[in-house]
Amino acid sequence: MIIHIFDSQQELNQTGAGIITALIQTKPNAVLGLATGGTPVGIYEELVKNYNLGRVSFSHVKSFNLDEYVGLPEDHPESYRSYMNHHLFDHVDIQKDQTHVPNGNAADVDAECEEYDARMADVGQVDLQILGIGHNGHIGFNEPDRELTAGTHQVELKAETRQANARYFPSMDDVPTHAITMGVGSIMKAKSIILIVRGADKAEIVKRALYGPITTDCPASLLQTHPNLIVLVDKEAGRALVE
Ligand code: PGA
């Protein structure tokens, strides 16, 4: 595990985007595992800048997103498909049919999960998985539980996760109750993982994830066993790591 703690958001964003850019420069047909939420926004902004500067082309890149809400129309502004279009896909030369986000409106959600795993298996291995972490230690939408699931599956979101995401919706009642998420097995299969963590409110959970017991009560703690984990944190989130 390599941990970098940054004084500024800009440095963190440029470093994260730099790692992704360097990967695509050396492997133009790289497979990216992508995340949504507040955490990666600045990194996607820097990636778009790198694209506009001619440093990187996404024309042969494939991507798989971690998760999607169940029941939100695909073009709803808060769907993760809309998020990805808005923050990255609409601004670079990635082929949209090479971008994969679980279909949260599938008539048969279980069949969609199986198909998503099959599509991932078809391309082999994700080269680089981008991850955030929830305040409860979730990765993707793999919430703390007695058992975790390896493959893509449907989850009921915990109250604290819906609360954390309520800032994007008019009211709590509008926050979806269920989501489709890659499982921890799919996440851990990636060749490399970048975990990005920002803000004082994540300081304790990132410490627990990286140095606490490896337990399904904190799904991110499994990352301790990944052979190629890079952790990018701002100084607020990194506070407890240097104590
Ligand atoms: P956030 O979410 O980036 O919006 O904080 C991270 C997560 O819940 O995984």
Side-chain angles (χ1 to χ4, degrees), residues 113-182:
C113 293
E114 271 179 40
E115 213 221 303
Y116 203 69
D117 283 343
R119 279 192 268 166
M120 289 188 74
D122 269 355
V123 301
Q125 221 180 344
V126 167
D127 289 293
L128 181 62
Q129 175 67 56
I130 298 163
L131 275 187
I133 183 173
H135 294 99
N136 61 7
H138 73 205
I139 47 176
F141 275 133
N142 293 279
E143 302 280 32
D145 210 334
R146 288 184 53 207
E147 294 177 347
L148 298 175
T149 304
T152 303
H153 60 288
Q154 180 171 198
V155 286
E156 181 172 5
L157 300 176
K158 296 252 182 200
E160 62 261 29
T161 298
R162 294 185 66 234
Q163 188 66 56
N165 290 2
R167 65 194 195 275
Y168 299 116
F169 292 87
S171 78
M172 258 304 268
D173 288 345
D174 298 297
V175 184
T177 56
H178 290 75
I180 294 174
T181 184
M182 264 187 212

Side-chain angles (χ1 to χ4, degrees), residues 16 19-20 23 30-36 40 44 62-67 116 120 125-132 139-140 142 181-196 223 226 228-232:
I19 294 169
I20 300 164
L23 167 69
V31 182
L32 301 179
L34 298 176
T36 52
Y44 295 146
K62 294 185 174 65
S63 70
F64 286 88
N65 264 79
L66 282 169
D67 43 24
Y116 203 69
M120 289 188 74
Q125 221 180 344
V126 167
D127 289 293
L128 181 62
Q129 175 67 56
I130 298 163
L131 275 187
I139 47 176
N142 293 279
T181 184
M182 264 187 212
V184 287
S186 308
I187 293 171
M188 292 293 289
K189 243 188 257 171
K191 283 185 202 161
S192 307
I193 297 178
I194 305 183
L195 175 68
I196 305 153
L223 298 173
H226 195 280
N228 204 356
L229 175 68
I230 301 169
V231 187
L232 307 181

Side-chain angles (χ1 to χ4, degrees), residues 92-108:
V92 298
D93 61 348
I94 198 163
Q95 297 177 54
K96 284 268 175 72
D97 63 357
Q98 298 300 318
T99 67
H100 305 272
V101 181
N103 176 7
N105 292 291
D108 182 340

